[in-house]
Amino acid sequence: MHPLLRAIDLQKTYRKDANRVEVLRGLSLDVHEGEFVSVIGASGSGKSTLLHLLGTLDRPDSGEIHLEGKRIDNLPSEGRDKLRNHTFGFIFQFYHLLPEMTALENVLTPAMIANSAWSWWGRRKELRRQGMAMLERMGLGQRWNHRPRELSGGEMQRTAIARALISRPRVLLADEPTGNLDASNGGHIIEVLRNLNRDDGLTIVMVTHNLDIVQESDRVVRMVEGRIEPAAALVNA
Amino acid sequence: MYKLLLCWRYLRTRYLALACIISVMLGVATLIVVNSVMSGFSTKLKDRLHGLLSDIVIEASTMEGFADPGEKMARIRALPFLSERIEAMTPVMEVFAIMQFSWPNGERVTRTVHLVGVDPKSRNLVGGFKEHLVQARSKPGEFSFELSPEARKRYEYREAIMDLQQRAITPVDPEQPPPPARTPKRIKVPCGVVLGNLIASYREKAGTDENGTVKYVEKYPLGTDRSEVIITTIGGERLMPVYDNFVVVDYFKSDMSEYDSQYVFVPLEHLQQLRTMQNRVTSIQIKLRDYATAPAVVKELRKMFGKDGVRVETWEHKQGPLLAAISIEKGILNILLFLIIGVAGFGILAIFTMIVAEKTRDIGILKALGASNGGVMKIFLGYGFLLGIIGAWMGTALGLSLTFNINAIEHLLSNITGGEIFNREVYYFDKIPTNIEIWMLVLVNIGAIGIAVVFSVLPAMRAAMLHPVRALRYE
């Protein structure tokens, strides 16, 4: 049986002027369905780059990425846009909500992208109901009409999680989701993620610096200089 | 859907975009006002020219004109194709002349004029004459060059007195046999003449109306039926000077300075006799039942008179250079004024580039959520389109309000600056003429919206090409 997500020998180098920074140096990783994987490592070890490559936001210089056995890193941009819209959900450290939109509109953005104006008009009530349900689930039912600047950090991150979940993704890619939150709010977000994984069977790949929260995940992988550290080394760590 | 929502939200939240809207608005308003005024002037000019020139002119190529216009008109009437389409015809003789007259204070004036011999009866049917006569236009019936009965009696009396004086002063020599009895002198009353309005008149301010617009009144010091003019022209085969006295019976006021300051009308028959060119004219003016048939009628007339050495032209062909000049002037002005919207376009380019930079992270978010490059591009193209539409609509509203109130605005500006902006003495219009054409409004709006969209393309492409990861990391 294929893993849900497989990265094979990924290499990625960033170039700026004459400088070359090798971020990933032959990284391979399997993520199975329903798994909650934490990726840890020092700054610059390539954690976020790995997440971007897995989520088709960027292309590797070499290596392959497979989703349920099908290669996705070489898809044309339309195919990759669809994957990001339907299959992958993203959560970022700085929430990345659209400031002009309300919490509900932010949650509904992936659905708006997926539907044409005509189709949206036909399904607007149903989609709004789904968006509201998602906000209710995140404890933000009363805040649906608030703009991001009127929400706290924890509320913004929960709105971002609701947005990531609205299109029922197969994989949730979280890039330091608690990095900008205090311990209490961070703990709450991890609890939400844990519940999503446990109750809904959502596959989660989370990048974090925080070693306290990785206990919640099923598996921890450590990245060192663009490679996954062997499991033995991780146990010793 | 997100494209529409974001366009609308960007419009409501980015006040910088207001600068784009105002620049498009001002460009559109300027174009509408200038085009409406220019179109007003040119429409009035065309109407007046058409009214004066009749639809088609059969014209001699020499000053001697052509003989027997009656025969030519009979040939035209005999052809059913032409007679069905032609409403009226009139023969005309035109020649340059020198005119002399005295103002009431005794000052003598000599000037060159364009002398036109017209047949009042047929000319009334062709039009473009009686309706321009200051006195006759308000009187019923046909215009005639005849003097009023009182004036006629006065001139007859004067001639009789002069004849008696002539007899009285003739010396009688008692040594000589008496001279043979003089045959009674045939009393000659001068013929009537219509002078161009600007030849012997001046304008005087007569206060202001309720809107504050300055009103003018025309003064005619020579009056009618009491002032004589002497007209000298050339006649005969050897082009010898010939002259005669005429009495002013009316004034021709077409509001076309070229005509009103040059044209002098006398009876055709009298001019033919004076020039010893009986039964000759220089042109035949034709009025059509429907001007749309003009090309076909001209073609047929050219076929008919092709060997007679005459030119057959419509009034538009005759005035071709003037009409073409107006059209070219309007075209060039439009191009120059569209540059104003072009400048607004560069403003849109600069402001959109700033907005794209400001929104880089949002673009990254949208791409991370699955928005395509085309989708991101459409947000900014739609934004430019929306700015263009709002700017164009506001500009249209402003332009139309300015156009509808242009005379009041002119009056206000004249009061503020202390000088008359639209000098009615120069233009011979009581008001600034305007003509709003729907197609012009549509073209200006399409042009403005098009420019707004075109200048949004570059920033929109830049936004579309942003790499999502770099956009998300943008600080």
Side-chain angles (χ1 to χ4, degrees):
Chain A
M1 188 183 161
H2 294 291
L4 179 63
L5 204 54
R6 167 170 276 180
I8 306 166
D9 196 21
L10 295 183
Q11 301 214 7
K12 182 74 183 174
T13 303
Y14 288 114
R15 292 170 188 83
K16 192 173 183 194
D17 303 324
N19 302 323
R20 292 178 75 238
V21 182
E22 282 186 76
V23 184
L24 298 182
R25 306 174 186 198
L27 181 146
S28 297
L29 175 71
D30 285 353
V31 178
H32 294 277
E33 183 138 32
E35 217 180 358
F36 187 163
V37 180
S38 289
V39 181
I40 58 169
S43 291
S45 59
K47 305 185 295 293
S48 294
T49 302
L50 170 64
L51 216 62
H52 294 150
L53 293 181
L54 292 178
T56 69
L57 276 171
D58 206 352
R59 291 177 195 268
D61 295 337
S62 67
E64 294 178 5
I65 300 165
H66 295 255
L67 178 76
E68 288 186 313
K70 287 179 188 162
R71 192 171 171 187
I72 59 169
D73 62 283
N74 59 354
L75 284 175
S77 51
E78 294 80 23
R80 292 147 59 83
D81 294 339
K82 271 192 181 152
L83 278 178
R84 288 199 299 275
N85 188 247
H86 295 293
T87 310
F88 296 113
F90 286 93
I91 312 173
F92 302 97
Q93 181 182 354
F94 296 103
Y95 332 122
H96 286 340
L97 297 176
L98 295 167
E100 278 83 12
M101 293 185 173
T102 63
L104 179 62
E105 285 165 349
N106 264 291
V107 170
L108 290 173
T109 304
M112 289 188 209
I113 291 171
N115 288 279
S116 64
W118 186 250
S119 151
W120 170 266
W121 186 251
R123 297 183 61 203
R124 69 190 188 286
K125 284 182 184 163
E126 173 205 337
L127 290 168
R128 276 179 72 90
R129 216 171 17 247
Q130 282 178 21
M132 278 305 292
M134 204 57 77
L135 280 174
E136 297 277 1
R137 188 173 172 188
M138 295 295 145
L140 293 167
Q142 302 298 313
R143 311 282 269 166
W144 68 273
N145 202 23
H146 287 239
R147 297 280 161 94
R149 63 174 179 275
E150 296 156 357
L151 301 173
S152 69
E155 287 171 332
M156 280 198 270
Q157 195 59 293
R158 278 184 279 148
T159 307
I161 294 172
R163 180 180 67 186
L165 298 177
I166 191 74
S167 50
R168 301 181 196 284
R170 301 284 306 277
V171 184
L172 184 67
L173 302 167
D175 191 359
E176 306 226 25
T178 61
N180 208 34
L181 299 173
D182 57 35
S184 160
N185 274 309
H188 189 202
I189 293 298
I190 292 301
E191 192 187 330
V192 169
L193 294 180
R194 179 76 263 185
N195 290 341
L196 284 168
N197 173 253
R198 195 171 47 223
D199 302 342
D200 301 3
L202 181 66
T203 308
I204 300 175
V205 179
M206 179 177 72
V207 163
T208 182
H209 267 116
N210 192 340
L211 293 176
D212 294 336
I213 62 170
V214 296
Q215 277 101 21
E216 293 292 335
S217 52
D218 301 328
R219 184 157 62 104
V220 180
V221 290
R222 180 191 291 273
M223 285 185 66
V224 177
E225 294 183 346
R227 292 188 191 92
I228 300 285
E229 209 173 46
L234 186 63
V235 172
N236 293 334
Chain B
M1 181 62 204
Y2 70 104
K3 295 163 235 162
L4 291 174
L5 186 67
L6 279 173
C7 279
W8 180 242
R9 290 286 159 81
Y10 285 171
L11 194 71
R12 283 177 54 190
T13 54
R14 306 256 85 73
Y15 293 109
L16 205 56
L18 201 65
C20 304
I21 292 176
I22 290 172
S23 49
V24 173
M25 179 188 82
L26 290 177
V28 168
T30 311
L31 266 168
I32 289 174
V33 173
V34 171
N35 266 299
S36 300
V37 172
M38 281 202 74
S39 175
F41 269 104
S42 81
T43 307
K44 278 246 175 191
L45 188 72
K46 279 184 181 177
D47 286 350
R48 286 176 181 180
L49 281 173
H50 191 184
L52 287 168
L53 290 174
S54 77
D55 295 332
I56 294 174
V57 182
I58 300 173
E59 201 171 29
S61 46
T62 63
M63 279 177 75
E64 288 79 29
F66 51 83
D68 208 355
E71 182 269 339
K72 282 190 167 52
M73 290 195 280
R75 274 167 66 193
I76 291 169
R77 281 193 205 95
L79 194 69
F81 177 83
L82 293 176
S83 63
E84 281 167 13
R85 287 163 178 80
I86 290 173
E87 190 177 318
M89 292 180 277
T90 186
V92 174
M93 177 181 274
E94 294 184 46
V95 65
F96 290 101
I98 296 170
M99 189 177 75
Q100 213 171 38
F101 63 91
S102 297
W103 291 115
N105 63 7
E107 189 190 340
R108 212 161 177 75
V109 177
T110 305
R111 57 181 300 170
T112 54
V113 293
H114 192 95
L115 188 61
V116 186
V118 292
D119 169 36
K121 196 172 179 181
S122 57
R123 181 66 200 229
N124 284 338
L125 297 174
V126 169
F129 186 60
K130 192 195 165 190
E131 59 268 36
H132 297 304
L133 297 181
V134 173
Q135 301 215 334
R137 68 179 161 207
S138 55
K139 291 178 186 165
E142 287 179 357
F143 166 76
S144 127
F145 284 97
E146 288 291 312
L147 270 62
S148 66
E150 298 79 30
R152 196 174 173 79
K153 267 185 196 168
R154 198 167 60 243
Y155 281 104
E156 280 171 355
Y157 180 73
R158 192 189 71 174
E159 287 291 310
I161 293 289
M162 281 176 72
D163 187 39
L164 283 173
Q165 283 174 344
Q166 189 70 35
R167 284 186 199 196
I169 60 170
T170 307
V172 179
D173 187 352
E175 302 294 319
Q176 296 294 322
R182 285 179 61 157
T183 50
K185 189 185 173 190
R186 192 175 142 260
I187 291 177
K188 180 178 170 281
V189 175
C191 182
V193 63
V194 172
L195 299 187
N197 179 55
L198 298 176
I199 294 173
S201 75
Y202 62 91
R203 303 182 88 182
E204 204 173 75
K205 276 188 184 176
T208 53
D209 64 10
E210 65 276 8
N211 298 323
T213 310
V214 180
K215 298 296 261 183
Y216 288 90
V217 65
E218 250 111 22
K219 297 281 185 185
Y220 299 96
L222 297 185
T224 53
D225 287 339
R226 60 183 166 84
S227 300
E228 271 184 82
V229 298
I230 301 165
I231 296 175
T232 307
T233 182
I234 46 172
E237 282 182 13
R238 298 183 64 192
L239 301 178
M240 297 295 285
V242 290
Y243 71 95
D244 201 359
N245 283 24
F246 295 85
V247 175
V248 181
V249 291
D250 214 330
Y251 296 90
F252 183 80
K253 184 175 184 279
S254 65
D255 287 332
M256 291 285 297
S257 63
E258 191 191 330
Y259 291 80
D260 294 354
S261 63
Q262 287 289 321
Y263 275 51
V264 169
F265 297 88
V266 293
L268 174 65
E269 213 174 322
H270 192 92
L271 186 59
Q272 285 172 331
Q273 278 174 10
L274 184 68
R275 295 187 69 200
T276 57
M277 290 172 67
Q278 278 81 358
N279 204 24
R280 291 186 79 86
V281 294
T282 53
S283 66
I284 295 172
Q285 297 193 345
I286 298 170
K287 185 185 182 184
L288 299 175
R289 292 182 207 283
D290 177 8
Y291 186 67
T293 61
V297 174
V298 166
K299 198 176 166 189
E300 200 59 40
L301 287 171
R302 280 180 184 161
K303 209 191 294 175
M304 184 179 274
F305 300 115
K307 291 171 187 165
D308 291 8
V310 294
R311 285 194 303 265
V312 182
E313 287 177 317
T314 62
W315 75 274
E316 283 173 303
H317 276 106
K318 209 166 149 55
Q319 292 296 326
L322 177 64
L323 298 179
I326 293 169
S327 174
I328 290 167
E329 194 181 323
K330 204 170 158 184
I332 290 172
L333 204 63
N334 265 306
I335 291 168
L336 292 175
L337 289 174
F338 248 104
L339 289 180
I340 296 176
I341 302 181
V343 172
F346 280 102
I348 290 172
L349 179 69
I351 289 169
F352 269 38
T353 306
M354 282 170 67
I355 290 175
V356 168
E358 192 190 324
K359 291 285 158 201
T360 299
R361 193 177 280 190
D362 292 6
I363 293 163
I365 298 166
L366 287 168
K367 289 194 166 183
L369 297 176
S372 62
N373 290 349
V376 171
M377 190 167 172
K378 279 177 196 165
I379 294 173
F380 290 93
L381 286 181
Y383 192 27
F385 180 69
L386 210 56
L387 289 182
I389 282 185
I390 293 172
W393 283 355
M394 286 171 67
T396 303
L398 179 67
L400 290 178
S401 336
L402 290 175
T403 306
F404 286 132
N405 298 296
I406 195 144
N407 287 292
I409 293 164
E410 183 268 330
H411 173 61
L412 181 74
L413 290 176
S414 296
N415 279 351
I416 292 169
T417 58
E420 205 173 357
I421 290 172
F422 178 73
N423 191 339
R424 282 149 183 85
E425 281 191 83
V426 173
Y427 295 104
Y428 308 108
F429 294 126
D430 288 336
K431 289 176 180 174
I432 302 172
T434 56
N435 180 35
I436 296 164
E437 293 160 314
I438 300 295
W439 65 265
M440 177 270 289
L441 292 181
V442 172
L443 277 184
V444 167
N445 273 269
I446 291 174
I449 295 167
I451 283 176
V453 173
V454 165
F455 278 91
S456 315
V457 168
L458 209 61
M461 278 173 67
R462 201 169 149 252
M465 294 301 145
L466 276 174
H467 193 284
V469 173
R470 260 172 251 148
L472 284 169
R473 286 177 175 165
Y474 183 79
E475 295 292 337

